[in-house]
Amino acid sequence: MKTTKIVQKILSNYEGETPGVKAKLAGILMNGKLGGTGKMIILPVDQGFEHGPARSFAPNAPGYDPHYHYQLAIDAGLSAYAAPLGMIEAGADTFAGQIPTILKVNSANSLIPGDAPKTQAITASVDDALRLGCSAIGFTIYPGSSAALDMFGDIGEMRKEAAAKGIATVIWSYPRGEALDKDGETAIDIAAYAAQIAALLGAHIIKIKLSTDHLSLPEAKKVYEAQDIDIATQAARVRHCVQSAFDGRRLMVFSGGAAKGTDAVYDDARAIRDGGGNGSIIGRNSFQRDRSDALAMLGKLMDIYRGKD
């Protein structure tokens, strides 16, 4: 596979990693319309598990069909497509080799009682990823949950197995649980902490949410204020989170979150670009739109990441 100097530089940050994992990362970084730029847009479709089918797909009914999402990601020229086992299996043969895939190996759902510890069940394996030709596994952790240590242990073992079999690891690091209130889930000190935890667990690609300027932890707030850490703008907060993941030595993409207007999606992308992030992992804001609107929006996002907008 031919790679650019930008991609080679990124891969050089993964010292001690297996050639197989680096090849899988290169495949994602060189795929699609952003190939070779060091930027990525990934389509994640795990919302049917997390939120239920109607909440996820009724706004754009073709999305009930797993093939729709594969084809959307391919036609848009995205870097990769991520989904749970059933969704990947439903199109793995038809779309084999057409786009890198990420197998989401753990999931939760909206039927779990609200007072239960925030956690996810392991629903697929590294061998499933290998069998289906996936480039990576994806795993969610919930820093802030009483179940977080178990999740850290689970992904530690799965990441080790995946690397040995030449498969990369993407960690969704979403602060959530008994230790945090709603503001704390998106606070900048917590977001940066979540990025650091994912990097320390060995993530090759880190997925976090965009943060607010709220500071949640009193001891952290003292340091932010004493050191005058810039968190005033979204781009500054992205930059701080990137710095917190080994000073930019790990790929970091940011969640698109709930459906929103296109202007807000574009503003988020500009902040990610200007803050040194590697791109977006954008689900509901793409597949809940009419296909033509989604393709137009994704095309403009790529222009933003190329610095053309």
Side-chain angles (χ1 to χ4, degrees), residues 154-263:
D154 289 340
I155 186 52
E157 289 300 313
M158 292 191 79
R159 186 257 186 227
K160 180 180 177 182
E161 180 187 356
K165 294 177 179 178
I167 294 173
T169 294
V170 184
I171 293 183
W172 277 239
S173 194
Y174 283 0
R176 189 173 299 170
E178 303 93 324
L180 302 171
D181 58 18
K182 204 65 182 173
D183 289 337
E185 291 181 1
T186 54
I188 178 58
D189 59 321
I190 303 298
Y193 202 166
Q196 169 78 183
I197 289 170
L200 291 170
L201 286 169
H204 301 108
I205 301 174
I206 297 165
K207 176 190 177 188
I208 63 171
K209 295 181 180 181
L210 289 168
S211 61
T212 68
D213 62 1
H214 178 65
L215 292 167
S216 180
L217 299 174
E219 292 304 313
K221 184 175 182 179
K222 293 175 186 176
V223 176
Y224 277 79
E225 292 174 347
Q227 300 300 319
D228 196 25
I229 298 172
D230 183 9
I231 57 171
T233 66
Q234 189 63 264
R237 295 191 291 273
V238 167
R239 190 173 299 110
H240 179 57
C241 288
V242 169
Q243 181 186 42
S244 298
F246 300 167
D247 203 18
R249 288 180 176 269
R250 293 295 177 265
L251 291 160
M252 185 179 296
V253 293
F254 291 79
S255 170
K260 61 184 80 168
T262 51
D263 287 346

Side-chain angles (χ1 to χ4, degrees), residues 66 83-91 103:
L85 179 64
M87 294 283 279
I88 296 290
E89 283 189 329
L103 177 62

Side-chain angles (χ1 to χ4, degrees), residues 39-187:
K39 303 297 183 184
M40 301 180 286
I41 299 179
I42 297 170
L43 175 67
V45 190
D46 58 344
Q47 291 81 0
F49 219 138
E50 302 293 328
H51 306 297
R55 287 174 61 190
S56 302
F57 306 125
N60 180 33
Y64 283 105
D65 183 349
H67 282 212
Y68 176 84
H69 304 288
Y70 270 102
Q71 198 65 59
L72 176 64
I74 293 165
D75 292 346
L78 301 189
S79 307
Y81 166 56
L85 179 64
M87 294 283 279
I88 296 290
E89 283 189 329
D93 183 49
T94 299
F95 299 100
Q98 297 185 47
I99 188 167
T101 52
I102 300 167
L103 177 62
K104 187 68 167 53
V105 296
N106 70 338
S107 293
N109 67 85
S110 297
L111 301 177
I112 297 170
D115 57 355
K118 302 300 181 187
T119 190
Q120 296 209 350
I122 295 175
T123 55
S125 68
V126 173
D127 281 342
D128 286 323
L130 199 63
R131 169 175 61 88
L132 295 166
C134 298
S135 298
I137 58 168
F139 193 100
T140 295
I141 58 172
Y142 291 144
S145 169
S146 59
L149 296 183
D150 289 336
M151 302 180 86
F152 297 168
D154 289 340
I155 186 52
E157 289 300 313
M158 292 191 79
R159 186 257 186 227
K160 180 180 177 182
E161 180 187 356
K165 294 177 179 178
I167 294 173
T169 294
V170 184
I171 293 183
W172 277 239
S173 194
Y174 283 0
R176 189 173 299 170
E178 303 93 324
L180 302 171
D181 58 18
K182 204 65 182 173
D183 289 337
E185 291 181 1
T186 54

